[in-house]
Amino acid sequence: MSIPRFLAGFDSASAMLRANAAFLRGEAFPALGESPSLRPLVKATRVLPPALREKVFIASGATETISPRRVGRIDTEDISRWADEEYPRRRYPAVAVGSASGALTHLWTAMGIPWLPQTFFIPVRQHVHPDDPAGAMIKGIEPGRDLLQANPDIQLHHMHDANQDRLMVRALTYFRIKRRTLGPGYERFLTERLEPGGTIVIPECTRSWGTTTLGPRHVFQHGAVGGATEEEFHHGGERVAEYLERYRSPVRRWYGPEPDSTSPESEWGFEPALREDIERFAQENGYRVRRVVHDEPDSPSPLVADLYRWWYARRGIESTRLFVASFIVMEPWWVLRTGSVPFWMTFNTDTSYRELENYLEERGPFDEILLTLFQNGVEAVGLPTVGDWRRLLGKARVSGSFAGLKAEDHPRDLAHYAGYDKALRKVPERHPMPDPLSLRELDEFLAGAGSYPGVRWE
């Protein structure tokens, strides 16, 4: 079954679900899960000047949009049917349901279990000026009302980010929906795929953001995780002014609606109402429930990387290669096949840079580092330079390199998406795919690993 027409394929939830499902089918995840026939076209963008690459990037996102007039016809249960078709039809000892995290995607694949997202992205076809968040909010009110009226068990987070998503918000409105209940489709999936007495793992990201209430189950979020801080989105600052001047904006700070509430962050944050419904369902059907509560989407990254190193050591594999994934640029199957250690960064910004730098200082050195960087076409607030990333690569004892990235074109090297997996496939080292990591083995690792800041197992 193809992804529902109203969902974005380039989003964290849909891409990570497809990466997870591909792994469980015994498949790799090249080109962000898109058709291999698109690779030559994506690679050809390297001959285009930067301005044209930006237009290609915008156009690629615009092709996935839905008309605001059709939003009221969306049935979010179509998402459940699609997820059901993506995963192999067999019983699993556990199923994860909740927040997206690339680090946890590597945990789910190691355990050989499916993950069902709480949050999905519906791109609505509307044209707004990126530096007019108030105007963007107003244009989203009517289609948002239609969507919620047709789907009473979700809540809507309309997100507008003129920093990381500066190019995309010109062509589309970011509607992110969060499930408040499992719904018939997810319940059916759990009943049919989860072993009797099995475990439902709930990944809960506690990241929140100031929001403006537009109605029952409907909030507007000005800004998003990555680069610029929440304070900078709402009140400006030197970095914002320089950024807006560079992009020839008519303003030097953003004037958005004042927040009147705090909500789960639109893309990563977990809505607790879903946990209550999962616990109800688990109690009725004899399933166990475990929670992995984390402060930021990338908080589990050091834990998962260390878990892989521990797992490799038990299998007699020397873990000397670090593969750094970025947003949806990941390759779980080849990571395990080559005995590489996965470290996931939320984006390509300074916060992700610092997390990677800290991990290398505390756990390194590695013989080899392969680094991916998400390409969004924007020289955003908080974007490290290529020189900064090269300094981290220089911490490798033998070889540090960008994985299929033409560094001088960053952040506009769209061809990176067509070649990041080749860096792993070129690794001569090969290992048999292991049996899935069991919950007992995970508990054994956690018992000896100590605490990890920002991550709690409950």
Side-chain angles (χ1 to χ4, degrees), residues 314-358:
R314 294 184 65 143
R315 297 169 55 207
I317 298 172
E318 190 175 1
S319 52
T320 60
R321 182 184 309 102
L322 188 72
F323 182 78
V324 183
S326 174
F327 190 46
I328 59 176
V329 188
M330 56 174 55
E331 183 46 280
W333 197 88
W334 278 105
V335 159
L336 265 177
R337 189 77 169 86
T338 57
S340 301
V341 176
F343 187 93
W344 180 73
M345 303 188 300
T346 309
F347 290 121
N348 56 13
T349 56
D350 49 9
T351 50
S352 295
Y353 179 94
R354 287 193 295 271
E355 292 298 324
L356 175 59
E357 183 179 39
N358 290 340

Side-chain angles (χ1 to χ4, degrees), residues 14-34:
S14 53
M16 291 174 189
L17 185 153
R18 289 192 293 179
N20 193 3
F23 180 91
L24 295 183
R25 296 193 302 265
E27 301 170 4
F29 188 65
L32 308 182
E34 299 297 333

Side-chain angles (χ1 to χ4, degrees), residues 44-98:
T45 59
R46 279 187 172 156
V47 304
L48 301 176
L52 275 181
R53 290 186 206 178
E54 292 181 1
K55 291 181 179 179
V56 169
F57 186 74
I58 296 172
S60 67
T63 60
E64 298 194 345
T65 57
I66 182 172
S67 166
R69 295 188 299 274
R70 298 187 60 200
V71 167
R73 304 178 198 172
I74 289 175
D75 179 2
T76 54
E77 277 301 295
D78 286 344
I79 300 173
S80 303
R81 288 185 278 271
W82 167 62
D84 180 76
E85 292 293 330
E86 280 288 306
Y87 287 111
R89 292 186 176 277
R90 58 177 181 258
R91 292 278 188 176
Y92 300 92
V95 174
V97 186

Side-chain angles (χ1 to χ4, degrees), residues 309 312 317-322 339-341 365-369 396-397 399 429:
R309 300 182 82 175
Y312 288 148
I317 298 172
E318 190 175 1
S319 52
T320 60
R321 182 184 309 102
L322 188 72
S340 301
V341 176
F366 288 86
D367 287 349
E368 184 179 0
I369 303 173
R397 282 185 293 207
S399 172
E429 187 177 355

Side-chain angles (χ1 to χ4, degrees), residues 203-225:
E204 302 181 23
C205 181
T206 61
R207 188 66 160 91
S208 61
W209 201 275
T211 53
T212 304
T213 305
L214 301 181
R217 299 180 288 121
H218 188 183
V219 296
F220 177 79
Q221 177 179 308
H222 176 206
V225 170

